[in-house]
Amino acid sequence: MTKKRFHELGVYARALADEMGLRDWTFVTLDQEPETPPEYNGTDFRAEATCTPTPGQHTAVLRFRSDFDENRLEDIRNTVVHELLHCHMQAMHEMCRSVLLNEISQSTYNVFMGGFDMNWEYAIDGISRAWAAKLPLIQWPVEKRK
Amino acid sequence: MILSMMTKSQRSEIEKWLRDAADSMNLSDWEFQVMWNDPLDDHRAASTNVQPNSRRARLYFHVDFLDNGEKRCREIACHELLHWAFEPLMEFVDDYAANEMGRKERSIFNSATVQLLEYGIEGTSLAFARHLPRFPVALSL
């Protein structure tokens, strides 16, 4: 992804966040590869993007794959809306994670959070796909040919 | 207008709005029933409950629900529909708490999860509802 496109992606995420009721949130878009969760090692799944909210704050870090801009515009929109929607629901996720982390064994915690995250992602994705269809597509800047 | 005074066609108009809204929110597989004869009369404007492990829900509205005005009715209805998407997660969390926590811990844990879920859904619904059609508050007689 060119620097111009990476910048535009940050502008686009900000605009969608404003539309999605996240005007009070601050987003930092980092030029770093998103980490695919380790449980998907050895599968074809790879994270296109991640959103990492700061615990207890209305700030989050967005990361996109370096070839994220090669996706269809509709898929880019779905992914950005999905990641941003996590912010609305983050407090509940963070509460469960932090409360249980020190109260139960590591293995029980892993099993619980595995089930929690799976249910969580399905819920977020169902809503975000519906919502994304009502929001604008990204318009990549025209780049001069060399 | 209070809910109990609504005619059959007025109720149908709201049910159609709810069906269309659910369809546009990726909840088209869900079946629902509006409990017209069991309106809420407490502090809640609306409520929903889901039959466990199913995609069947009941919707309850306050007896004075329509007095909220078009925009707020739309937001509240959107909020209730969004709950359906999170129902599997909440069943999972509650099952865990029921089996693994003491009564007091479960009570506090459930209060916190439900409260934070409500805030999250409310924030989502306020923005999402802008994309839904106008709620039929000005019902034809």
Side-chain angles (χ1 to χ4, degrees):
Chain A
M1 186 170 3
T2 62
K3 278 187 178 175
K4 243 183 177 177
R5 283 193 163 196
F6 180 77
H7 172 76
E8 190 60 31
L9 191 53
V11 171
Y12 178 63
R14 175 73 263 169
L16 288 187
D18 291 350
E19 279 291 308
M20 291 173 64
L22 296 165
R23 286 184 297 277
D24 296 332
W25 280 70
T26 301
F27 295 95
V28 177
T29 307
L30 287 187
D31 189 8
Q32 291 175 353
E33 291 292 308
E35 275 188 40
T36 298
E39 60 266 32
Y40 294 103
N41 287 346
T43 73
D44 290 337
F45 174 78
R46 58 177 199 169
E48 290 290 330
T50 55
C51 176
T52 312
T54 309
Q57 295 182 24
H58 285 183
T59 63
V61 173
L62 295 169
R63 293 179 175 86
F64 299 96
R65 287 185 62 87
S66 54
D67 59 356
F68 183 66
D69 61 330
E70 292 174 17
N71 287 300
R72 292 186 322 128
L73 298 182
E74 291 80 3
D75 294 334
I76 288 171
R77 180 176 60 183
N78 282 345
T79 302
V80 177
V81 172
H82 176 117
E83 295 306 324
L84 291 172
L85 185 52
H86 275 287
C87 297
H88 271 304
M89 310 306 300
Q90 177 60 21
M92 181 195 166
H93 187 282
E94 185 59 28
M95 190 279 295
C96 288
R97 195 195 67 75
S98 61
V99 162
L100 295 176
L101 184 61
N102 297 315
E103 293 300 320
I104 56 181
S105 71
Q106 185 65 48
S107 60
T108 305
Y109 173 80
N110 292 344
V111 171
F112 176 83
M113 287 311 294
F116 186 101
D117 283 338
M118 187 58 72
N119 277 298
W120 179 260
E121 291 293 341
Y122 274 113
I124 296 274
D125 202 58
I127 298 165
S128 65
R129 282 175 187 275
W131 202 347
K134 302 171 191 306
L135 294 170
L137 296 167
I138 193 168
Q139 289 186 309
W140 293 122
V142 179
E143 305 211 31
K144 289 176 188 167
R145 290 188 179 180
K146 287 181 182 172
Chain B
M1 174 185 286
I2 61 172
L3 289 189
S4 59
M5 290 173 66
M6 287 169 58
T7 64
K8 202 172 175 183
S9 73
Q10 289 168 336
R11 292 177 178 186
S12 296
E13 211 172 328
I14 290 179
E15 285 168 357
K16 182 179 182 312
W17 186 94
L18 291 164
R19 178 73 272 160
D20 290 347
D23 288 353
S24 77
M25 292 167 70
N26 260 352
L27 298 164
S28 49
D29 292 336
W30 283 74
E31 293 174 18
F32 67 88
Q33 182 181 8
V34 180
M35 307 303 284
W36 297 111
N37 297 323
D38 190 14
L40 303 171
D41 58 2
D42 55 17
H43 66 285
R44 295 170 298 170
S47 174
T48 189
N49 64 40
V50 172
Q51 190 178 317
N53 302 315
S54 80
R55 292 187 174 196
R56 301 171 70 91
R58 286 179 170 177
L59 286 163
Y60 300 82
F61 293 103
H62 192 273
V63 63
D64 294 327
F65 176 69
L66 295 174
D67 291 348
N68 285 291
E70 189 283 319
K71 178 171 174 283
R72 189 62 192 137
C73 282
R74 181 165 25 110
E75 291 166 351
I76 294 166
C78 179
H79 177 121
E80 296 308 322
L81 299 184
L82 284 172
H83 268 289
W84 300 352
F86 287 96
E87 191 60 23
L89 173 69
M90 295 309 282
E91 282 179 24
F92 173 80
V93 170
D94 190 47
D95 278 356
Y96 172 81
N99 292 320
E100 301 296 333
M101 291 182 177
R103 194 177 58 81
K104 194 183 285 183
E105 290 80 7
R106 181 189 178 195
S107 170
I108 297 168
F109 184 73
N110 279 353
S111 290
T113 50
V114 168
Q115 181 207 23
L116 294 172
L117 178 79
E118 291 291 348
Y119 273 107
I121 285 183
E122 180 67 0
T124 304
S125 65
L126 291 178
F128 198 144
R130 292 199 293 264
H131 300 284
L132 296 177
R134 288 179 64 79
F135 194 90
V137 283
L139 296 159
S140 52
L141 294 171

